[in-house]
Amino acid sequence: MGEGEGRTGKPGTVYLVGAGPGDPGLITVKGMECLKKADAVVYDRLASPRLLRYLRPDAERIYVGKAEGRHTLTQDEIQELLVRLAQDGKTVVRLKGGDPFVFGRGGEEAEFLVEHGIPFEVVPGVTSAVAVPAYAGIPVTHRDHTPSFAVVTGHEDPEKETSWIDWDRLSTGVGTLIFLMGVGRLAGIVEQLTAHGRPGTTPVALIRWGTRMEQETVTGTLDTIVDEVRRRNFRSPAVIVVGEVVGLRERLNWFERKPLFGKRILVTRAREQASALSAQIEDLGGEAVEFPAIRIEPPASWADLDEALTRSDLKWIVLTSRHAVESVWSRMRALELDVRRLSGVRMAAVGPATAEALRERGVIPELTASEYRGQALAETLVPHIASGDVVLLPRSNLASRDVPEVLSAAGAAVVEAEAYRTEPGCEGAEEVRGLLREGRIHAVTFTSSSTVRFFLQGIGEEARPWLEHVPAFCIGPVTAATARELGLKVAGVAEQATVDSLVDLLAREMEAGAI
């Protein structure tokens, strides 16, 4: 077998992908496409682990992060690993924080791949040198302040006899100086800059964990910044910005002023529903940790729903979730039932999300509950049904008895059909337990009673004490009652049973200091 050839006779391609500086939303479209097709991902400490959720379930995940004084693998071992994986015929993503060719050692890795006959591509990333200052409200250039900036390694010892850095020209020849990986050598950097003509009054900022929920910024001048960093015990990883543009931060600091900035919110919705809630939390500056407490699965048998949908005497279909809507339409397709057969059937929806699911399918519900819960929907429907009307209720295996009991008491002939099953999820329980144990979860959201029950089941009894100071926010009174009954601290209930209302509640409570 020739060099670089795997079991398939052809090596896989290695993609050197820049993950951006931390916010997973800053990865490029091409970078995301590479992640989705990867057989193996070799990732760094500074690449957001939240990007790993986009991998195929069978993709291999290999952490090779480096921290000061601690290397999981040496650089040589990382390069050899990339070659071995590719020689096995795998599509490999080398996921690196920032941009792979900006102090990311991507050039060295590319050279090693060439030497071993491994095909590779470089997918540039958003560099922390520009993005991190931007998230701190600091533009690296500005027409009124400076037309130039330089990106410099902060890793080089400023006091060594020979240096790659021309401090004499750099100190006064460039408007904005950005040092990466330089926190540990800050005193030496300051000394070199001031010794070579940069005024001690020059503004300086250090931004730690930039673009992330944990972002922290400290400012000063060349004369004061070393003492300020020591006083704050400010540590790496951080970007150092030197220049007059730092003075713009006071006016342009947009990210750290977001309503949920600095808060990590646990989202327990099913995976396919979590994204809408997570996106809104992150739009407000928080970090959403998705921990799907439930899974939505098909019923053990479609027989009851299939039989109900073929009835000719249906008067109403009562839909209490988007899942019910999706199940009804998927079964109609499977049975090749023309949607026009429902032309005389009236539809009722529990709330705006369910109603929107119907509208997406060209159906306008005739009724929507004033309160977005099942019992309220049933009570709203009662004046509109006659004795003997056949009402189809597609529902979950865990749905309460409230709706059929109210409708039956009003004289309806209720046909119940299991349309989907709600099962325990809780993928990633160990990670969530770790965050709870370390006090790094600031709030938890629940959107149904089943998310409460299965969440507690998933994290286990050992995690109960860690929840004592974590406020729970619930989408409705029934969910809140379940949470209280099971011993959780309910800090608020959304005014309406919608994701928008739940997020508004989180933002208000954050402003009030409850989170």
Side-chain angles (χ1 to χ4, degrees), residues 453-467:
R453 294 191 183 94
F454 290 148
F455 165 74
L456 291 173
Q457 178 181 315
I459 62 170
E461 282 300 316
E462 66 174 11
R464 280 285 194 149
W466 307 327
L467 285 168

Side-chain angles (χ1 to χ4, degrees), residues 3-306:
E3 184 181 45
E5 294 184 356
R7 292 188 296 268
T8 62
K10 181 180 177 182
T13 299
V14 175
Y15 294 90
L16 303 175
V17 177
D23 180 344
L26 293 180
I27 193 170
T28 64
V29 173
K30 186 169 183 179
M32 183 66 74
E33 290 171 351
C34 291
L35 284 177
K36 289 179 178 178
K37 68 182 180 183
D39 298 312
V41 175
V42 179
Y43 64 102
D44 274 353
R45 170 180 175 236
L46 298 182
S48 173
R50 293 157 64 202
L51 290 171
L52 302 182
R53 72 179 67 165
Y54 299 104
L55 302 182
R56 299 197 319 263
D58 62 333
E60 190 175 358
R61 297 156 170 81
I62 305 169
Y63 176 67
V64 295
K66 301 173 186 176
E68 191 172 349
R70 291 181 290 111
H71 289 191
T72 306
L73 294 179
T74 66
Q75 185 62 34
D76 287 345
E77 289 170 335
I78 291 172
Q79 291 168 180
E80 290 165 2
L81 172 64
L82 296 177
V83 168
R84 285 200 307 274
L85 291 168
Q87 286 175 340
D88 283 341
K90 294 179 178 179
T91 296
V92 183
V93 166
R94 173 70 171 107
L95 189 65
K96 306 172 77 69
D99 181 280
F101 276 15
V102 179
F103 302 132
R105 305 192 76 169
E108 297 170 48
E109 292 172 359
E111 286 184 301
F112 195 81
L113 294 170
V114 169
E115 290 168 8
H116 289 78
I118 303 298
F120 74 94
E121 292 186 22
V122 180
V123 182
V126 177
T127 174
S128 60
V130 174
V132 168
Y135 268 59
I138 302 170
V140 296
T141 65
H142 191 286
R143 188 170 62 176
D144 296 334
H145 297 279
T146 178
S148 62
F149 73 95
V151 182
V152 187
T153 177
H155 216 51
E156 184 182 81
D157 186 350
E159 298 177 358
K160 69 181 185 180
E161 291 185 10
T162 59
S163 172
W164 287 94
I165 301 172
D166 188 341
W167 290 101
D168 187 38
R169 296 183 181 183
L170 181 72
S171 297
T172 57
V174 179
T176 304
L177 299 175
I178 299 153
F179 294 88
L180 304 185
M181 306 170 294
V183 178
R185 303 190 186 278
L186 177 63
I189 291 170
V190 168
E191 183 179 344
Q192 289 285 2
L193 291 175
T194 53
H196 289 87
R198 197 78 171 204
T201 56
T202 304
V204 182
L206 275 74
I207 307 118
R208 183 173 188 266
W209 289 119
T211 80
R212 303 182 184 219
M213 179 276 297
E214 303 97 333
Q215 177 172 306
E216 183 182 0
T217 305
V218 59
T219 59
T221 66
L222 286 175
D223 285 339
T224 66
I225 194 65
V226 173
D227 288 340
E228 185 64 18
V229 165
R230 286 174 181 158
R231 185 182 69 81
R232 300 260 301 259
N233 195 29
F234 200 86
R235 299 188 178 280
S236 63
V239 171
I240 303 169
V241 186
V242 179
E244 297 303 320
V245 289
V246 172
L248 295 169
R249 169 176 159 77
E250 187 173 343
R251 293 176 58 202
L252 304 183
N253 178 18
W254 59 276
F255 182 55
E256 294 170 33
R257 291 173 179 162
K258 286 195 168 194
L260 292 179
F261 173 75
K263 301 302 177 184
R264 186 176 284 109
I265 313 295
L266 196 60
V267 175
T268 58
R269 299 189 97 188
R271 177 73 69 194
E272 58 271 23
Q273 290 182 304
S275 59
L277 177 53
S278 297
Q280 290 201 40
I281 289 170
E282 293 180 354
D283 282 347
L284 295 179
E287 179 182 312
V289 176
E290 292 186 5
F291 181 50
I294 59 175
R295 292 181 292 110
I296 303 301
E297 300 285 352
S301 169
W302 291 107
D304 290 344
L305 183 58
D306 289 353

